[in-house]
């Protein structure tokens, strides 16, 4: 017997299929599934932001349809119990479920390549803040682009971001949280490696990462640029707030003291807080173009600039 419209469906478990009303998967639902696959992890507000760019409809529509997709097994709904203030009362993170993957990937023959990633995203995680920050970054770069374009975005589960560097006589493997490839009006492409320092890594590990990036961006520059067809690349360290950004920036200067000026100028420092306005329940993501239009990124010399500086390319 199907549930009546007055009965509420459970939030943290799927309803009994026999109790659900009839449902037809439409193109609107497929758009949501494609967006979840593209961005990996999203909250309802973030999905609504991406969805409104394609379909012109807002959050209430997305939230209503997400519930239908979840209870029918097309998407995963993870409880975000440790969310920070400002993520709203809806403490859920959504990801594409294998069933949803079949719906949008089978026809193109792409499900096999995505299968392991989909099953991995179906498992509960402890670091949703990190995953959502990477997805939010991708949204900001895609929706705020201009006059440059975001040509490619690779997450930390993509081999394209991986590199090796020898630090303190030891070969180390590095997995940046993201690599964004930007194309400028003159045709040049630049790589932005993002490191989200939100978990307060220990100092020794942080030093090793700075030195590894410095080597990758300068000594290995030709190999890097040839691999990704780039004219140059920088590393962007994203901290939670200004206090952490200053601490990380000072540590970077100390770690890179023996390096040349070119290595130091390859580092930029950004904060998660600069992406948002308000606080508490009123905390909201700014418009992507507003975020990228502000001089809210510091270089190693503590000079403020926009993240993407067209004049340098």
């Amino acid at each position: 017997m199907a549930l009546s419209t007055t009965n509420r469906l459970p939030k943290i478990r799927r309803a009994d299929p026999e109790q659900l009303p009839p449902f037809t998967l439409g193109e609107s639902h497929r758009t949501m599934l494609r967006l979840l696959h593209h961005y990996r992890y999203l909250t309802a507000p973030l999905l609504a932001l991406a969805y409104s760019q394609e379909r012109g409809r807002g959050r209430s529509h997305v939230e209503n349809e997400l519930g239908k997709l979840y209870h029918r097994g097309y998407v995963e709904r993870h409880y975000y119990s440790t969310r920070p203030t400002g993520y709203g009362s809806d403490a859920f993170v959504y990801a594409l479920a294998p069933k949803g993957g079949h719906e949008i990937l089978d026809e193109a023959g792409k499900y096999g390549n995505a299968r392991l990633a989909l099953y991995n995203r179906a498992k509960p995680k402890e670091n949703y803040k990190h995953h959502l920050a990477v997805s939010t970054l991708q949204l900001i770069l895609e929706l705020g682009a201009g006059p440059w374009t975001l040509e490619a975005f690779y997450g930390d589960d993509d081999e394209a971001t991986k590199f090796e560097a020898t630090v303190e006589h030891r070969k180390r493997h590095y997995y940046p949280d993201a690599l964004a490839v930007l194309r400028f009006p003159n045709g040049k492409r630049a790589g932005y490696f993002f490191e989200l320092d939100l978990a307060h890594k220990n100092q020794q590990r942080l030093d090793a990462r700075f030195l590894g990036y410095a080597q990758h961006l300068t000594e290995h520059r030709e190999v890097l640029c040839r691999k990704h067809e780039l004219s140059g690349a920088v590393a962007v360290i994203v901290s939670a707030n200004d206090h952490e950004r200053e601490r990380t920036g000072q540590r970077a200067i100390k770690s890179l003291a023996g390096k040349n000026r070119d290595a130091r100028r390859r580092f930029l420092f950004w904060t998660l807080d600069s992406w948002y306005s308000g606080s508490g329940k009123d905390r909201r993501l700014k418009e992507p173009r507003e975020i990228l239009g502000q001089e809210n990124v510091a270089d190693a010399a503590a000079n403020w600039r926009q993240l993407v500086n067209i004049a340098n390319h």
Side-chain angles (χ1 to χ4, degrees):
M1 178 179 177
L3 290 172
S4 71
T5 55
T6 59
N7 290 329
R8 302 193 64 171
L9 296 173
K11 284 196 169 186
I12 57 176
R13 62 175 176 81
R14 289 193 172 96
D16 184 341
E18 295 183 359
Q19 295 183 308
L20 294 172
F23 173 77
T24 300
L25 191 72
E27 189 53 37
S28 173
H29 303 114
R30 293 179 185 278
T31 297
M32 293 182 195
L33 298 180
R34 284 192 290 268
L35 289 169
L36 282 172
H37 180 54
H38 182 62
Y39 291 108
R40 298 166 300 281
Y41 296 94
L42 291 173
T43 59
L46 288 175
L47 178 58
L49 175 62
Y51 182 85
S52 65
Q53 302 298 312
E54 292 202 14
R55 308 283 297 190
R57 302 181 73 172
R59 179 173 173 177
S60 60
H61 172 73
V62 168
E63 289 180 336
N64 184 49
E65 299 308 310
L66 265 177
K68 297 176 183 177
L69 292 169
Y70 166 66
H71 286 292
R72 289 162 180 83
Y74 292 102
V75 304
E76 303 290 351
R77 175 190 277 173
H78 301 296
Y79 184 59
Y80 185 17
S81 60
T82 58
R83 73 194 187 285
T85 301
Y87 275 78
S89 58
D90 183 1
F92 296 110
V93 176
Y94 293 88
L96 184 67
K99 180 179 177 180
H102 279 297
E103 285 292 336
I104 62 170
L105 299 173
D106 273 357
E107 187 174 343
K110 296 181 178 179
Y111 181 83
N113 292 334
R115 179 178 174 276
L116 289 179
L118 292 177
Y119 276 95
N120 181 53
R121 293 168 198 163
K123 300 174 183 176
K125 302 284 189 298
E126 295 182 356
N127 56 343
Y128 286 120
K129 180 180 180 181
H130 173 91
H131 291 299
L132 288 173
V134 174
S135 297
T136 303
L137 170 65
Q138 184 177 356
L139 267 169
I140 291 170
L141 294 175
E142 287 186 348
L143 303 185
W148 49 270
T149 56
L150 179 66
E151 196 156 279
F153 188 94
Y154 306 98
D156 60 2
D157 57 353
D158 196 303
E159 284 293 314
T161 66
K162 177 182 175 180
F163 67 89
E164 292 181 352
T166 302
V167 175
E168 298 176 345
H169 310 290
R170 176 185 167 191
K171 182 176 286 188
R172 301 170 185 259
H173 296 279
Y174 293 84
Y175 294 86
D177 293 315
L179 167 59
V181 177
L182 277 54
R183 179 178 288 276
F184 297 95
N186 62 6
K188 290 184 178 181
R189 289 159 42 105
Y192 283 69
F193 288 91
F194 289 91
E195 186 76 19
L196 276 64
D197 182 31
L198 307 179
H200 307 291
K201 299 180 178 71
N202 66 64
Q203 298 299 340
Q204 187 176 3
R205 185 184 175 195
L206 202 57
D207 289 345
R209 295 193 76 77
F210 285 136
L211 292 171
Y213 272 108
Q215 186 179 120
H216 187 53
L217 298 173
T218 56
E219 298 172 37
H220 299 167
R221 183 177 182 276
E222 288 187 13
V223 175
L224 163 65
C225 290
R226 188 163 56 249
K227 176 182 178 182
H228 296 289
E229 299 180 357
L230 306 174
S231 60
V234 296
V236 185
I237 314 300
V238 182
S239 301
N241 51 53
D242 279 335
H243 173 73
E244 291 299 322
R245 176 191 55 76
E246 291 178 6
R247 180 188 68 84
T248 303
Q250 290 169 0
R251 191 70 196 185
I253 293 171
K254 184 176 180 180
S255 300
L256 301 170
K259 295 293 180 180
N260 59 35
R261 182 174 177 273
D262 185 50
R264 294 193 296 275
R265 63 188 286 270
R266 297 290 171 183
F267 286 85
L268 300 174
F269 302 89
W270 209 8
T271 69
L272 213 63
D273 276 356
S274 69
W275 302 355
Y276 295 88
S277 61
S279 60
K281 293 182 179 179
D282 295 323
R283 183 176 168 92
R284 296 289 184 272
L285 184 70
K286 298 176 183 176
E287 288 294 325
R289 291 212 169 187
E290 178 185 356
I291 297 169
L292 294 173
Q294 295 176 334
E295 292 186 345
N296 53 17
V297 176
D299 61 20
N303 298 311
W304 292 99
R305 49 162 286 176
Q306 295 178 351
L307 175 69
V308 183
N309 190 340
I310 295 291
N312 290 344
H313 299 278

